[in-house]
Amino acid sequence: MTGSPDNQKETRTLLGRRIVLGITGSIAAYKSAFLARELTRRGAEVRVVMTPSATEFITPLTLATLVDKPVHSDFTESVEKGTWTNHVELGLWGDLFLVAPCTAATMSAMVTGACDNLLQAVFLSARCPVMIAPAMDLDMFTNPATQQSLKTLSDRGILIIEPASGPLASGLEGKGRLEEPEIIAERVEDFFSENLPLSGKKVVITAGPTREPVDAVRYIGNRSTGKMGFAIAGRLADLGAHVTLIAGPVNLPTPDRVAERINIETAEELYEETIKVWPKMDAGIACAAVADLRPMKASDKKMHKDEFPDAVELEKTPDTLKAMGDSKAPGQTLMGFALETDNGIESAKGKLERKNLDFVVLNTLQDPGAGFNHDTNKVTVIKRVGLDTEMLSFELKTKKEVARDLVEMLFQIK
Ligand code: CTP
């Protein structure tokens, strides 16, 4: 029962980020099309500025189509109408000015402050950080003049993506190739997540219900909406964590900047997808409302009334959280949830032990506004402290506020 057909992976780590992509006249300019696509695929808003010579290597139309915005390459947009491109506005609009490929000539202009084209004017007026990915022939790259430009730019705080080594357009072999677009896009992601409290942390979170098929149309499921898990995933991503969200069938958009969403349907699929990624994670949060039982046999056709068996035999589904706890490595932190109707604290403490958790979040269906189908939740967190436990009860809050509290507690941040 693996690999649900609508399994889908999304990477939207740059959602809401504005990037001015500068392209200069190098044969590697064709790779900028792939770079523009990588950046937009990750959710960034991209505006392109090209030097006049870059337009000889790749057409503005290609780039404009990829980023869905007009491309700028000249100070004047229309001589007849007297309209011009506002380089100051472009320089202020971006959160990052990325020049890829960046030729030796443009690097040299950046050092001297020359302003012979629109791209150089944007550079001089940009208030945002600037990142360049040089690309040129081996001897041009190793020339002391180029090396001096690189050093000066780096000393001035410009971020450099070193060129890669390999065959060059000239036929020579060596350093000078533009770094691959995927790697440049990853460096851009790193740039945006640096300095956030959870940058570099990897977290897997399960959310939503599972559905266990009885036949082709019927299933055993529950009323979980996934809101709590999605709120936690969003909060983690806002703080810079690399989040893998394993989601049951819910009607919710992926929160901004969540790195990866894997849609599952059954408890078995949830188990397989989570266990695959768990060893690479710093923390795991099991928020999914997993069906504990499934029919032993599920018909792959719709059963008619006269075909119904007298009873449906059930078996237990795999316990993902217990498997995560059993294989927990030193340094990994694990948080589970317990939805209880009675004897809450004792039962939750039992889960903390049985599943080898560091935190268990208890919500009780008796509390008004807690549990399924609400935008609010009221939780009590039981935390392992050495051989003992500590308990913290929170007020009724929105699920977004609860997500903040839980993330703060998990990573001990303010
Ligand atoms: N969980 C899981 N896989 C399962 C069942 C539960 O990962 N097959 C996780 C849930 O995501 C939750 C926690 O385990 O974080 C508690 O689930 P719950 O069903 O309440 O606990 P059980 O182990 O089933 O205990 P009991 O039935 O005794 O309440």
Side-chain angles (χ1 to χ4, degrees):
M1 259 200 275
T2 57
S4 141
D6 64 350
N7 251 8
Q8 132 205 18
K9 295 198 175 190
E10 290 177 13
T11 18
R12 303 163 9 121
T13 40
L14 294 176
L15 207 79
R17 308 298 193 190
R18 295 164 157 193
I19 299 169
V20 180
L21 174 62
I23 306 174
T24 67
S26 151
I27 177 63
Y30 79 92
K31 287 193 187 172
S32 306
F34 297 96
L35 177 58
R37 197 189 57 191
E38 280 300 316
L39 297 172
T40 49
R41 196 173 64 81
R42 286 164 156 85
E45 225 183 304
V46 180
R47 288 172 72 176
V48 177
V49 183
M50 298 173 81
T51 60
S53 64
T55 63
E56 290 172 21
F57 289 96
I58 183 163
T59 72
L61 182 62
T62 305
L63 272 308
T65 310
L66 286 167
V67 305
D68 200 23
K69 284 269 169 357
V71 165
H72 310 283
S73 59
D74 211 341
F75 285 105
T76 46
E77 272 168 13
S78 161
V79 178
E80 299 84 49
K81 290 187 197 146
T83 50
W84 62 294
T85 304
N86 190 336
H87 54 86
V88 176
E89 186 264 319
L90 267 176
L92 291 177
W93 174 85
D95 299 320
L96 177 71
F97 183 31
L98 168 67
V99 185
C102 188
T103 57
T106 296
M107 275 169 43
S108 167
M110 285 173 165
V111 169
T112 61
C115 190
D116 298 328
N117 58 44
L118 181 71
L119 186 144
Q120 291 167 7
V122 173
F123 170 74
L124 290 177
S125 42
R127 286 198 193 159
C128 61
V130 179
M131 188 181 267
I132 63 170
M136 64 202 73
D137 208 51
L138 172 66
D139 296 308
M140 289 174 77
F141 185 69
T142 51
N143 188 290
T146 312
Q147 289 301 311
Q148 185 57 50
S149 297
L150 267 177
K151 184 173 180 319
T152 307
L153 292 174
S154 171
D155 289 347
R156 290 181 192 165
I158 301 228
L159 305 159
I160 317 273
I161 299 179
E162 289 283 327
S165 288
L168 299 163
S170 60
L172 294 176
E173 281 274 327
K175 200 166 174 180
R177 282 166 67 91
L178 179 70
E179 190 47 283
E180 290 308 316
E182 282 239 345
I183 295 178
I184 299 179
E186 279 167 20
R187 291 286 299 275
V188 170
E189 281 177 356
D190 292 346
F191 161 79
F192 281 113
S193 64
E194 267 161 26
N195 304 321
L196 288 171
L198 297 185
S199 68
K201 296 278 183 210
K202 290 184 157 194
V203 188
V204 60
I205 171 153
T206 69
T210 68
R211 288 179 181 170
E212 311 304 323
V214 176
D215 67 10
V217 294
R218 303 178 180 92
Y219 59 82
I220 296 176
N222 60 67
R223 290 170 22 227
S224 165
T225 57
K227 281 182 187 167
M228 190 65 247
F230 273 58
I232 299 173
R235 180 63 186 156
L236 287 164
D238 284 350
L239 295 181
H242 182 281
V243 180
T244 300
L245 173 61
I246 306 208
V250 292
N251 190 17
L252 294 174
T254 308
D256 290 357
R257 291 184 275 284
V258 161
E260 186 179 31
R261 170 176 178 172
I262 302 173
N263 288 332
I264 56 90
E265 197 148 319
T266 64
E268 182 81 36
E269 287 166 2
L270 179 105
Y271 177 85
E272 286 185 9
E273 296 295 344
T274 312
I275 291 305
K276 221 187 290 172
V277 297
W278 173 230
K280 293 181 285 190
M281 298 290 154
D282 296 293
I285 305 175
C287 205
V290 187
D292 290 314
L293 295 165
R294 68 182 170 209
M296 284 181 85
K297 277 194 226 124
S299 165
D300 50 11
K301 294 194 207 82
K302 183 187 168 190
M303 279 191 287
H304 294 285
K305 278 194 210 76
D306 56 359
E307 297 169 319
F308 283 168
D310 293 336
V312 178
E313 267 194 285
L314 300 174
E315 64 182 355
K316 279 191 184 163
T317 57
D319 189 330
T320 301
L321 182 58
K322 176 147 184 5
M324 292 166 91
D326 288 346
S327 62
K328 193 170 70 174
Q332 283 186 311
T333 312
L334 195 52
M335 179 180 266
F337 275 70
L339 178 67
E340 306 290 346
T341 47
D342 46 20
N343 238 346
I345 307 272
E346 279 323 297
S347 180
K349 279 188 181 167
K351 276 170 202 172
L352 189 83
E353 284 313 315
R354 222 171 39 250
K355 303 197 187 193
N356 193 22
L357 309 179
D358 301 288
F359 299 88
V360 64
V361 183
L362 165 70
N363 44 81
T364 320
L365 277 183
Q366 270 93 348
D367 284 323
F372 297 149
N373 271 326
H374 295 286
D375 286 323
T376 51
N377 205 357
K378 182 170 179 346
V379 302
T380 299
V381 180
I382 301 164
K383 177 184 173 186
R384 186 191 290 278
V385 187
L387 293 175
D388 228 334
T389 54
E390 219 174 73
M391 209 167 73
L392 242 142
S393 291
F394 292 86
E395 312 274 278
L396 182 74
K397 296 183 177 194
T398 66
K399 285 189 173 167
K400 282 202 168 153
E401 286 166 335
V402 175
R404 274 173 185 265
D405 293 339
L406 296 180
V407 170
E408 266 173 31
M409 199 175 287
L410 189 68
F411 287 103
Q412 292 162 3
I413 42 173
K414 282 268 149 5

